[in-house]
């Protein structure tokens, strides 16, 4: 009964080759987030969707894009991965944007760039 | 702006010993406070949260945290740890933006 599912769990991509990470949810939540977590660091918010409204963090590189074709799915596209983009990518959902609302995380996709 | 500081990057402790993982935050507005746990190569799981009311909050697996407004702290404690508690623990704050701001994390290493 997984609620936030990320595929694949492990992804190896070549330097400069576009890659897409996938996230789906069964919670019917309005908000979906993408976080980047580098080794031994805190998760860092890249962007989020509230329904179809996309909100980019100010310091998210242009190399990172996202799509949310429907409520259940959200994708993270890295147009030209560099070695510095190797990280764990975490998808999360929440019912709304209120501060008290719990966020539910997927198991993450570990991206390796070779 | 909000920020979170976890004062210890690693905490080694023997099994059945008590443990405290420290977390301090700064914010100019009221915040909600969370502790998340992350096992190796896994996502984050909510351990416990403070929203309002009683300043002492508990989780189902024996952890507790106390919100101290004057100290701007939200330290996590457990009176007796198990090997299975070995993990990374993240303290996080959220105002009303819906954006979680995480601390750097504390690795709890429970030794037999």
């Amino acid at each position: 009964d997984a609620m936030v599912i990320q595929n694949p769990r492990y992804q190896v991509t070549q330097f400069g080759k576009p890659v897409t990470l996938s996230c789906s949810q069964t919670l019917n939540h309005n908000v979906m987030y993408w976080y980047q977590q580098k080794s031994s660091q805190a998760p860092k918010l890249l962007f989020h969707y509230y329904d179809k409204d996309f909100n980019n963090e100010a310091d998210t590189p242009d190399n990172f894009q996202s799509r949310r074709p429907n409520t259940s799915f959200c994708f993270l596209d890295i147009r030209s991965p560099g070695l510095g983009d190797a990280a764990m990518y975490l998808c999360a959902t929440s019912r709304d944007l209120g501060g008290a609302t719990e966020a539910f995380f997927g198991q993450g996709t570990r991206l390796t760039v070779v | 702006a909000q920020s979170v500081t976890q004062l210890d990057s690693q905490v080694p402790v023997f099994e059945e010993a008590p443990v405290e993982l420290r977390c301090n935050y700064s914010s100019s507005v009221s915040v909600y406070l969370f502790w998340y746990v992350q096992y190796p190569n896994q996502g984050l799981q909510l351990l416990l949260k403070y929203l309002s009311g009683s300043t002492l909050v508990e989780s189902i697996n024996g952890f507790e945290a106390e919100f101290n407004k004057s100290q701007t702290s939200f330290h996590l404690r457990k009176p007796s740890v198990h090997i299975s508690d070995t993990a990374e623990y993240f303290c996080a704050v959220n105002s009303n933006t819906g954006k979680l701001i995480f601390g750097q994390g504390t690795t709890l290493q429970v030794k037999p």
Side-chain angles (χ1 to χ4, degrees), chain A residues 30-84:
Chain A
N30 290 313
V31 191
M32 295 187 78
Y33 309 82
W34 280 103
Y35 286 83
Q36 179 192 62
Q37 185 183 21
K38 294 188 176 180
S39 182
S40 301
Q41 295 186 22
K44 178 179 176 297
L45 182 63
L46 295 174
F47 26 59
H48 74 273
Y49 273 94
Y50 184 92
D51 195 14
K52 295 181 180 179
D53 292 333
F54 178 70
N55 296 271
N56 201 28
E57 292 300 299
D59 56 354
T60 298
D62 292 340
N63 199 25
F64 292 86
Q65 306 281 318
S66 186
R67 296 171 283 135
R68 190 180 185 185
N70 53 52
T71 300
S72 300
F73 285 87
C74 194
F75 301 98
L76 169 62
D77 301 308
I78 308 176
R79 293 193 295 189
S80 180
L83 297 179

Side-chain angles (χ1 to χ4, degrees), chain B residues 35-37 45-49 58-59 61 63 76 89:
Chain B
W35 275 99
Y36 281 85
V37 59
Q45 301 173 33
L46 181 66
L47 192 58
L48 45 74
K49 59 186 176 184
E58 298 176 351
S59 73
N61 57 355
F63 283 93
L76 181 70
Y89 291 80

Side-chain angles (χ1 to χ4, degrees), chain A residues 86-103:
Chain A
M88 174 79 94
Y89 289 87
L90 298 167
C91 175
T93 74
S94 65
R95 191 177 66 250
D96 57 44
L97 282 172
T101 305
E102 180 179 346

Side-chain angles (χ1 to χ4, degrees), chain A residues 18-34:
Chain A
V19 65
T20 295
L21 309 183
S22 169
C23 177
S24 64
Q25 57 138 338
T26 60
L27 297 164
N28 204 34
H29 281 172
N30 290 313
V31 191
M32 295 187 78
Y33 309 82
W34 280 103

Side-chain angles (χ1 to χ4, degrees), chain A residues 9-10 33 35 37 40-43 45 48 57 88 90 97-108 110, chain B residues 32 34 36 38 40-46 49 51 88 90 94-105:
Chain A
R9 292 290 313 279
Y10 301 91
Y33 309 82
Y35 286 83
Q37 185 183 21
S40 301
Q41 295 186 22
L45 182 63
H48 74 273
E57 292 300 299
M88 174 79 94
L90 298 167
L97 282 172
T101 305
E102 180 179 346
F104 293 81
F105 285 81
Q107 299 217 338
R110 182 166 296 283
Chain B
Y32 305 98
F34 304 82
Y36 281 85
Q38 185 177 34
N41 290 313
Q42 301 288 321
L44 278 71
Q45 301 173 33
L46 181 66
K49 59 186 176 184
L51 304 181
E88 187 86 10
F90 289 95
N94 195 342
S95 61
N96 267 323
T97 64
K99 298 179 185 180
L100 282 167
I101 307 297
F102 288 93
Q104 291 294 97

